[in-house]
Short mmCIF file of all heavy atoms in Angstrom, two decimals:
data_model
loop_
_atom_site.label_atom_id
_atom_site.label_comp_id
_atom_site.label_asym_id
_atom_site.label_seq_id
_atom_site.Cartn_x
_atom_site.Cartn_y
_atom_site.Cartn_z
N GLY A 1 84.44 93.78 75.59
CA GLY A 1 85.95 93.62 75.67
C GLY A 1 86.69 94.34 74.61
O GLY A 1 87.76 94.85 74.76
N ASP A 2 86.00 94.45 73.40
CA ASP A 2 86.65 95.03 72.24
C ASP A 2 86.92 96.51 72.47
O ASP A 2 87.74 97.16 71.83
CB ASP A 2 85.97 94.77 70.98
CG ASP A 2 85.97 93.27 70.52
OD1 ASP A 2 86.91 92.50 71.02
OD2 ASP A 2 85.15 92.86 69.73
N ASP A 3 86.09 97.14 73.29
CA ASP A 3 86.13 98.53 73.61
C ASP A 3 87.37 98.87 74.53
O ASP A 3 87.69 100.03 74.72
CB ASP A 3 84.81 99.08 74.25
CG ASP A 3 83.66 98.79 73.31
OD1 ASP A 3 83.79 99.14 72.16
OD2 ASP A 3 82.57 98.35 73.75
N ILE A 4 87.93 97.87 75.26
CA ILE A 4 88.94 98.10 76.30
C ILE A 4 90.26 98.06 75.69
O ILE A 4 90.65 97.07 74.99
CB ILE A 4 88.79 97.17 77.41
CG1 ILE A 4 87.35 97.20 77.98
CG2 ILE A 4 89.83 97.34 78.41
CD1 ILE A 4 86.92 98.58 78.49
N ASP A 5 91.18 99.08 75.86
CA ASP A 5 92.53 99.05 75.38
C ASP A 5 93.41 98.31 76.30
O ASP A 5 94.38 97.74 75.85
CB ASP A 5 92.94 100.49 75.10
CG ASP A 5 92.11 101.18 74.02
OD1 ASP A 5 92.39 100.87 72.85
OD2 ASP A 5 91.35 101.99 74.31
N TRP A 6 93.16 98.45 77.65
CA TRP A 6 94.09 97.94 78.60
C TRP A 6 93.40 97.39 79.81
O TRP A 6 92.61 98.22 80.29
CB TRP A 6 95.18 98.93 79.09
CG TRP A 6 96.17 99.33 77.91
CD1 TRP A 6 96.24 100.35 77.13
CD2 TRP A 6 97.31 98.49 77.47
NE1 TRP A 6 97.16 100.36 76.26
CE2 TRP A 6 97.94 99.10 76.38
CE3 TRP A 6 97.86 97.18 77.84
CZ2 TRP A 6 99.01 98.81 75.75
CZ3 TRP A 6 98.91 96.79 77.11
CH2 TRP A 6 99.54 97.49 76.23
N LEU A 7 93.63 96.25 80.32
CA LEU A 7 93.38 95.83 81.57
C LEU A 7 94.45 95.95 82.56
O LEU A 7 95.64 95.53 82.25
CB LEU A 7 92.86 94.29 81.67
CG LEU A 7 92.67 93.74 82.99
CD1 LEU A 7 91.51 94.28 83.73
CD2 LEU A 7 92.44 92.06 82.95
N VAL A 8 94.21 96.73 83.60
CA VAL A 8 95.44 97.05 84.63
C VAL A 8 94.91 96.33 85.95
O VAL A 8 94.32 96.89 86.79
CB VAL A 8 95.52 98.57 84.87
CG1 VAL A 8 96.91 98.85 85.55
CG2 VAL A 8 95.48 99.33 83.51
N PRO A 9 95.46 95.03 85.99
CA PRO A 9 94.94 94.21 87.15
C PRO A 9 95.91 94.29 88.34
O PRO A 9 97.13 94.46 88.17
CB PRO A 9 94.86 92.76 86.60
CG PRO A 9 96.07 92.77 85.62
CD PRO A 9 96.10 94.17 84.93
N HIS A 10 95.42 94.14 89.52
CA HIS A 10 96.27 93.88 90.66
C HIS A 10 97.13 92.70 90.36
O HIS A 10 96.66 91.57 89.93
CB HIS A 10 95.37 93.72 91.83
CG HIS A 10 96.22 93.23 93.13
ND1 HIS A 10 97.29 93.86 93.60
CD2 HIS A 10 95.98 92.20 93.91
CE1 HIS A 10 97.76 93.27 94.65
NE2 HIS A 10 96.99 92.20 94.89
N GLN A 11 98.38 92.78 90.78
CA GLN A 11 99.39 91.68 90.46
C GLN A 11 99.50 90.88 91.54
O GLN A 11 100.47 90.82 92.34
CB GLN A 11 100.73 92.33 90.08
CG GLN A 11 100.66 93.46 88.91
CD GLN A 11 100.36 92.78 87.59
OE1 GLN A 11 101.06 92.01 87.06
NE2 GLN A 11 99.37 93.32 86.86
N ALA A 12 98.55 89.81 91.83
CA ALA A 12 98.62 88.95 93.00
C ALA A 12 98.95 87.62 92.52
O ALA A 12 99.76 86.92 93.20
CB ALA A 12 97.26 88.95 93.64
N ASN A 13 98.54 87.21 91.37
CA ASN A 13 98.55 85.85 90.81
C ASN A 13 98.19 85.78 89.29
O ASN A 13 97.28 86.30 88.92
CB ASN A 13 97.82 84.91 91.67
CG ASN A 13 97.85 83.44 91.21
OD1 ASN A 13 97.49 83.02 90.12
ND2 ASN A 13 98.43 82.63 92.16
N LEU A 14 99.16 85.29 88.66
CA LEU A 14 98.87 85.22 87.04
C LEU A 14 97.58 84.54 86.72
O LEU A 14 97.01 84.89 85.73
CB LEU A 14 100.07 84.62 86.42
CG LEU A 14 100.37 84.90 84.91
CD1 LEU A 14 100.52 86.45 84.77
CD2 LEU A 14 101.68 84.33 84.49
N ARG A 15 97.18 83.56 87.44
CA ARG A 15 95.90 82.76 87.14
C ARG A 15 94.73 83.65 87.44
O ARG A 15 93.76 83.57 86.75
CB ARG A 15 95.89 81.49 87.95
CG ARG A 15 97.00 80.38 87.53
CD ARG A 15 96.72 79.23 88.20
NE ARG A 15 97.29 79.25 89.67
CZ ARG A 15 97.09 78.32 90.52
NH1 ARG A 15 96.53 77.16 90.19
NH2 ARG A 15 97.53 78.50 91.73
N ILE A 16 94.80 84.46 88.49
CA ILE A 16 93.65 85.42 88.73
C ILE A 16 93.51 86.42 87.74
O ILE A 16 92.49 86.82 87.18
CB ILE A 16 93.85 85.97 90.19
CG1 ILE A 16 93.83 85.00 91.31
CG2 ILE A 16 92.85 87.04 90.40
CD1 ILE A 16 94.22 85.52 92.62
N ILE A 17 94.70 86.97 87.29
CA ILE A 17 94.65 87.91 86.22
C ILE A 17 94.13 87.40 84.87
O ILE A 17 93.23 88.03 84.27
CB ILE A 17 96.17 88.52 85.93
CG1 ILE A 17 96.65 89.23 87.17
CG2 ILE A 17 96.22 89.33 84.69
CD1 ILE A 17 98.25 89.55 87.13
N ASP A 18 94.56 86.24 84.58
CA ASP A 18 94.02 85.51 83.30
C ASP A 18 92.57 85.25 83.49
O ASP A 18 91.80 85.40 82.45
CB ASP A 18 94.80 84.24 83.02
CG ASP A 18 94.69 83.76 81.67
OD1 ASP A 18 94.87 84.59 80.81
OD2 ASP A 18 94.27 82.65 81.41
N ALA A 19 91.98 84.89 84.54
CA ALA A 19 90.54 84.69 84.70
C ALA A 19 89.82 85.99 84.46
O ALA A 19 88.73 86.00 83.91
CB ALA A 19 90.28 84.13 86.14
N THR A 20 90.36 87.01 85.03
CA THR A 20 89.71 88.32 84.79
C THR A 20 89.69 88.76 83.37
O THR A 20 88.64 89.25 82.84
CB THR A 20 90.34 89.42 85.71
OG1 THR A 20 90.36 89.01 86.96
CG2 THR A 20 89.70 90.70 85.56
N ARG A 21 90.83 88.50 82.65
CA ARG A 21 90.97 88.80 81.23
C ARG A 21 89.95 88.01 80.49
O ARG A 21 89.34 88.63 79.56
CB ARG A 21 92.35 88.59 80.82
CG ARG A 21 92.68 88.72 79.32
CD ARG A 21 93.88 88.08 78.87
NE ARG A 21 93.77 86.54 78.91
CZ ARG A 21 92.95 85.75 78.19
NH1 ARG A 21 92.30 86.34 77.17
NH2 ARG A 21 92.99 84.54 78.38
N ALA A 22 89.91 86.77 80.71
CA ALA A 22 88.96 85.89 79.93
C ALA A 22 87.50 86.39 80.14
O ALA A 22 86.75 86.20 79.20
CB ALA A 22 89.22 84.34 80.41
N ARG A 23 87.28 86.64 81.43
CA ARG A 23 85.83 87.02 81.76
C ARG A 23 85.34 88.22 80.81
O ARG A 23 84.18 88.26 80.44
CB ARG A 23 85.66 87.33 83.20
CG ARG A 23 84.34 87.74 83.68
CD ARG A 23 83.26 86.50 83.50
NE ARG A 23 81.95 86.85 83.73
CZ ARG A 23 81.40 86.95 84.90
NH1 ARG A 23 82.19 86.66 85.90
NH2 ARG A 23 80.15 87.26 85.17
N ILE A 24 86.20 89.24 80.74
CA ILE A 24 85.71 90.42 79.94
C ILE A 24 86.04 90.36 78.45
O ILE A 24 85.91 91.29 77.76
CB ILE A 24 86.37 91.71 80.59
CG1 ILE A 24 87.82 91.79 80.50
CG2 ILE A 24 85.73 91.93 81.96
CD1 ILE A 24 88.36 93.06 81.03
N GLY A 25 86.60 89.20 78.07
CA GLY A 25 86.84 88.91 76.63
C GLY A 25 87.95 89.80 76.04
O GLY A 25 87.88 90.36 74.92
N LEU A 26 89.02 89.85 76.78
CA LEU A 26 90.14 90.57 76.39
C LEU A 26 91.42 89.77 75.77
O LEU A 26 91.67 88.68 76.44
CB LEU A 26 90.67 91.50 77.48
CG LEU A 26 91.21 92.90 77.18
CD1 LEU A 26 90.24 93.83 76.44
CD2 LEU A 26 91.76 93.57 78.47
N ALA A 27 92.08 90.21 74.84
CA ALA A 27 93.16 89.50 74.34
C ALA A 27 94.42 89.69 75.42
O ALA A 27 94.51 90.74 76.08
CB ALA A 27 93.70 90.11 72.95
N GLU A 28 95.33 88.72 75.33
CA GLU A 28 96.38 88.75 76.30
C GLU A 28 97.27 89.95 76.24
O GLU A 28 97.89 90.33 77.13
CB GLU A 28 97.14 87.42 76.12
CG GLU A 28 96.54 86.14 76.72
CD GLU A 28 97.35 84.87 76.52
OE1 GLU A 28 98.58 84.98 76.24
OE2 GLU A 28 96.88 83.72 76.63
N GLU A 29 97.48 90.43 74.93
CA GLU A 29 98.39 91.47 74.76
C GLU A 29 97.73 92.84 75.27
O GLU A 29 98.52 93.88 75.16
CB GLU A 29 98.78 91.60 73.17
CG GLU A 29 97.56 91.85 72.25
CD GLU A 29 96.82 90.54 71.70
OE1 GLU A 29 97.26 89.53 72.37
OE2 GLU A 29 96.32 90.61 70.70
N LYS A 30 96.56 92.79 75.71
CA LYS A 30 95.93 94.09 76.27
C LYS A 30 96.03 94.08 77.74
O LYS A 30 95.42 94.94 78.44
CB LYS A 30 94.55 94.15 75.75
CG LYS A 30 94.35 94.50 74.26
CD LYS A 30 92.95 94.72 73.94
CE LYS A 30 92.81 95.22 72.47
NZ LYS A 30 91.43 95.61 72.20
N VAL A 31 96.84 93.17 78.38
CA VAL A 31 96.84 93.12 79.81
C VAL A 31 98.23 93.58 80.27
O VAL A 31 99.29 93.05 79.79
CB VAL A 31 96.61 91.71 80.34
CG1 VAL A 31 96.43 91.64 81.82
CG2 VAL A 31 95.28 91.17 79.73
N MET A 32 98.26 94.55 81.17
CA MET A 32 99.49 94.87 81.90
C MET A 32 99.89 93.73 82.94
O MET A 32 99.14 93.64 83.89
CB MET A 32 99.30 96.36 82.47
CG MET A 32 99.04 97.38 81.47
SD MET A 32 99.07 99.03 82.36
CE MET A 32 98.38 100.07 81.06
N ILE A 33 101.04 93.29 82.66
CA ILE A 33 101.69 92.21 83.74
C ILE A 33 103.08 92.50 84.02
O ILE A 33 103.87 92.62 83.12
CB ILE A 33 101.46 90.82 83.21
CG1 ILE A 33 99.99 90.47 82.86
CG2 ILE A 33 102.15 89.82 84.03
CD1 ILE A 33 99.77 89.13 82.20
N ASN A 34 103.40 92.75 85.21
CA ASN A 34 104.72 92.89 85.63
C ASN A 34 105.01 92.18 87.07
O ASN A 34 105.99 92.34 87.68
CB ASN A 34 105.24 94.36 85.84
CG ASN A 34 104.33 95.16 86.87
OD1 ASN A 34 103.61 94.50 87.75
ND2 ASN A 34 104.44 96.33 86.99
N ILE A 35 104.04 91.15 87.32
CA ILE A 35 104.16 90.30 88.51
C ILE A 35 105.40 89.56 88.42
O ILE A 35 106.05 89.36 89.52
CB ILE A 35 102.96 89.40 88.63
CG1 ILE A 35 102.95 88.67 90.04
CG2 ILE A 35 102.94 88.41 87.55
CD1 ILE A 35 101.66 87.93 90.28
N HIS A 36 105.92 89.08 87.31
CA HIS A 36 107.16 88.42 87.31
C HIS A 36 108.39 89.11 87.86
O HIS A 36 109.28 88.49 88.34
CB HIS A 36 107.44 87.92 85.78
CG HIS A 36 107.48 89.03 84.89
ND1 HIS A 36 106.42 89.76 84.51
CD2 HIS A 36 108.54 89.60 84.10
CE1 HIS A 36 106.83 90.66 83.63
NE2 HIS A 36 108.12 90.54 83.40
N LYS A 37 108.32 90.41 87.75
CA LYS A 37 109.39 91.28 88.12
C LYS A 37 109.27 91.74 89.63
O LYS A 37 110.31 91.92 90.26
CB LYS A 37 109.61 92.53 87.28
CG LYS A 37 110.03 92.17 85.91
CD LYS A 37 110.41 93.50 85.16
CE LYS A 37 109.34 94.43 84.89
NZ LYS A 37 109.68 95.62 84.10
N TYR A 38 108.10 92.05 90.01
CA TYR A 38 107.86 92.69 91.32
C TYR A 38 107.06 92.01 92.39
O TYR A 38 107.03 92.31 93.46
CB TYR A 38 107.13 94.05 91.10
CG TYR A 38 107.93 94.98 90.20
CD1 TYR A 38 107.23 95.71 89.15
CD2 TYR A 38 109.34 95.17 90.21
CE1 TYR A 38 107.85 96.41 88.23
CE2 TYR A 38 110.03 96.01 89.36
CZ TYR A 38 109.27 96.68 88.40
OH TYR A 38 109.95 97.55 87.43
N GLY A 39 106.47 90.75 91.93
CA GLY A 39 105.49 90.14 92.83
C GLY A 39 104.32 90.97 93.27
O GLY A 39 104.01 91.93 92.42
N ASN A 40 103.81 90.68 94.30
CA ASN A 40 102.66 91.44 94.78
C ASN A 40 103.03 92.55 95.86
O ASN A 40 103.52 92.29 96.88
CB ASN A 40 101.70 90.44 95.56
CG ASN A 40 100.36 91.16 96.06
OD1 ASN A 40 100.25 92.39 95.95
ND2 ASN A 40 99.49 90.37 96.49
#
């Protein structure tokens, strides 16, 4: 996880994104999230 600069997840659901982030051990600030603006 420390080797990854950014997770670029499909924006379907914030909980799914967070589960993926947690699984690979990534900090929240390294995740691209714009689901709040554009939805899926």
